[in-house]
């Protein structure tokens, strides 16, 4: 358990370091709102697609395809999305409902979920986690595009426009391109992979600095109750319900553990980028990311301890 705590802190501490770096750079005047806006577009359109493409391209997608786990995770994600949207309609102003919904159901599986799965289950955790990561990228980005379009002042929400937003989303395009290439083991030149890796390595630091540069005490005060409400749904209620459902369906061992880690991961940094792209309340999105990442160091360890204590993983 101590090793898992250290592993969790090793993952979350750099995230907070980059967030506070953004706060500091904004405070001393080295970055401003225009930088955050331009850099967020760069992350969304270039850097993050490169990260997702290379992550799937290099993964052994055929090593751990578990149809039962995949089907359950899809159902749990759709149910969590529906629950989060329902709560958003009930608990927050219309303008913030897209941000609330996205923050409550969209997890940071490609970084924190996958890293913890690897720390618990080694190569098997990496293989099964990579399969789920490719799946959730399609699910999360498609569902987020729908709910953000419905409430965005700039995006059209008719079915044709939503469909175009989904299919033109650079993150989804990168997954759709990478998946057949990974399965077919299509070779790419080393110079292209190296150049893509340079872009991919910029993604998380740049996205987190932008989030930190957006944060302010006034914004945290204004969105405090709503951000805390979203964070409790994301880090407590959905993991409890999702993991209980998996247990009732008969999942045990690594499959149950990985499902818990993925359902219970903190809100993804990409949610901030998409919120900004949709001209939504990106300050609320940033607050949700910070709170859920902080809570993850506690809730993840409690969940793993309880599941190990019960002998279920």
């Amino acid at each position: 358990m101590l090793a898992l705590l250290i592993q969790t802190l090793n993952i979350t501490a750099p995230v907070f370091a980059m967030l506070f770096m953004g706060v500091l750079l904004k405070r001393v005047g080295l970055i401003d709102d225009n930088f955050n806006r331009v850099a967020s577009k760069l992350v969304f359109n270039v850097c993050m697609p490169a990260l997702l493409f290379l992550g799937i391209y290099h993964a052994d997608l055929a090593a751990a395809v578990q149809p039962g786990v995949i089907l359950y995770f899809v159902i749990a994600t759709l149910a969590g999305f529906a629950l989060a949207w329902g709560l958003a309609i009930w608990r927050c102003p219309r303008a913030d409902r897209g941000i609330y919904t996205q923050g409550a159901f969209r997890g940071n599986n490609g970084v924190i979920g996958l890293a913890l799965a690897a720390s618990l289950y080694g190569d098997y955790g990496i293989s099964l986690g990579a399969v789920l990561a490719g799946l959730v990228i399609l699910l999360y980005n498609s569902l987020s595009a729908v709910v953000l379009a419905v409430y965005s002042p700039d995006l059209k929400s008719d079915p044709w426009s939503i469909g175009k937003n989904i299919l033109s989303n650079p993150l989804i395009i990168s997954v759709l391109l990478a998946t057949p290439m990974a399965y077919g083991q299509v070779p790419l030149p080393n110079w292209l992979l190296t150049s893509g890796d340079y872009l991919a390595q910029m993604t998380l630091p740049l996205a987190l600095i932008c989030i930190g540069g957006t944060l302010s005490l006034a914004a945290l005060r204004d969105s405090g109750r709503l951000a805390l409400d979203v964070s409790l749904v994301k880090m407590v209620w959905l993991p409890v319900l999702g993991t209980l459902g998996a247990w009732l369906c008969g999942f045990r061992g690594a499959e149950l553990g990985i499902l818990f880690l993925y359902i219970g991961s903190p809100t993804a940094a990409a949610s901030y980028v998409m919120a900004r792209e949709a001209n939504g309340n990106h300050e609320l999105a940033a607050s949700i990311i910070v709170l859920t990442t902080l809570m993850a160091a506690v809730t993840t360890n409690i969940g793993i301890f309880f599941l190990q204590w019960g002998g279920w993983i």
Side-chain angles (χ1 to χ4, degrees):
M1 190 46 106
L2 179 60
L4 179 63
L5 176 60
I6 294 173
Q7 176 68 24
T8 305
L9 292 175
N10 283 339
I11 295 168
T12 57
V15 171
F16 279 105
M18 297 310 297
L19 285 172
F20 289 129
M21 177 67 73
V23 174
L24 177 62
L25 292 176
K26 176 71 177 295
R27 180 62 61 89
V28 300
L30 290 178
I31 64 174
D32 55 16
D33 289 336
N34 185 60
F35 171 88
N36 291 333
R37 185 164 47 253
V38 173
S40 294
K41 286 183 177 293
L42 178 64
V43 170
F44 181 74
N45 290 293
V46 180
C47 299
M48 194 165 287
L51 175 68
L52 298 180
F53 179 91
L54 291 177
I56 294 174
Y57 180 78
H58 290 305
D60 185 5
L61 298 181
V65 176
Q66 301 286 338
V69 175
I70 292 173
L71 178 61
Y72 179 82
F73 189 75
V74 170
I75 294 172
T77 299
L78 294 174
F81 173 73
L83 177 62
W85 198 343
L87 289 171
I89 294 172
W90 176 37
R91 298 182 66 85
C92 75
R94 177 179 174 81
D96 292 337
R97 288 174 184 171
I99 308 302
Y100 184 110
T101 304
Q102 182 184 224
F105 91 94
R106 183 175 188 166
N108 194 349
N109 302 134
V111 180
I112 295 180
L114 183 58
L116 289 174
S119 72
L120 279 177
Y121 300 111
D123 290 340
Y124 180 74
I126 294 174
S127 298
L128 179 56
V131 171
L132 289 179
L135 174 68
V136 301
I137 289 164
L138 290 174
L139 277 175
Y140 286 168
N141 285 284
S142 298
L143 295 174
S144 294
V146 170
V147 75
L148 288 174
V150 169
Y151 297 109
S152 171
D154 296 334
L155 301 178
K156 296 180 180 178
S157 58
D158 60 278
W160 173 249
S161 298
I162 290 175
K164 285 199 302 182
N165 283 334
I166 292 173
L167 293 177
S168 63
N169 186 308
L171 308 181
I172 292 176
I173 292 172
S174 69
V175 173
L176 294 178
L177 286 175
T179 302
M181 296 183 72
Y183 272 116
Q185 297 183 334
V186 178
L188 291 175
N190 286 333
W191 69 265
L192 183 60
L193 293 174
T194 301
S195 299
D197 192 49
Y198 289 156
L199 290 172
Q201 290 178 20
M202 293 170 55
T203 304
L204 291 175
L206 191 55
L208 292 169
I209 286 174
C210 289
I211 294 170
T214 303
L215 289 179
S216 68
L217 290 177
L220 284 171
R221 254 193 325 268
D222 293 341
S223 61
R225 183 199 63 79
L226 201 55
L228 180 60
D229 192 39
V230 176
S231 300
L232 289 173
V233 173
K234 180 70 191 77
M235 301 309 300
V236 178
W237 299 118
L238 289 185
V240 168
L241 293 174
T243 307
L244 177 60
W247 182 83
L248 292 174
C249 288
F251 291 106
R252 299 291 187 274
E255 288 76 19
L256 180 62
I258 291 173
L259 283 170
F260 163 72
L261 291 173
Y262 270 53
I263 295 172
S265 64
T267 302
S271 64
Y272 167 83
V273 178
M274 287 192 69
R276 186 125 202 176
E277 191 72 12
N279 198 24
N281 187 349
H282 54 274
E283 293 178 338
L284 174 60
S287 299
I288 293 168
I289 293 168
V290 172
L291 287 175
T292 55
T293 304
L294 180 62
M295 292 172 68
V298 178
T299 57
T300 299
N301 285 285
I302 291 175
I304 292 296
F305 176 80
F306 180 76
L307 292 172
Q308 287 179 333
W309 174 76
W312 300 310
I313 64 172

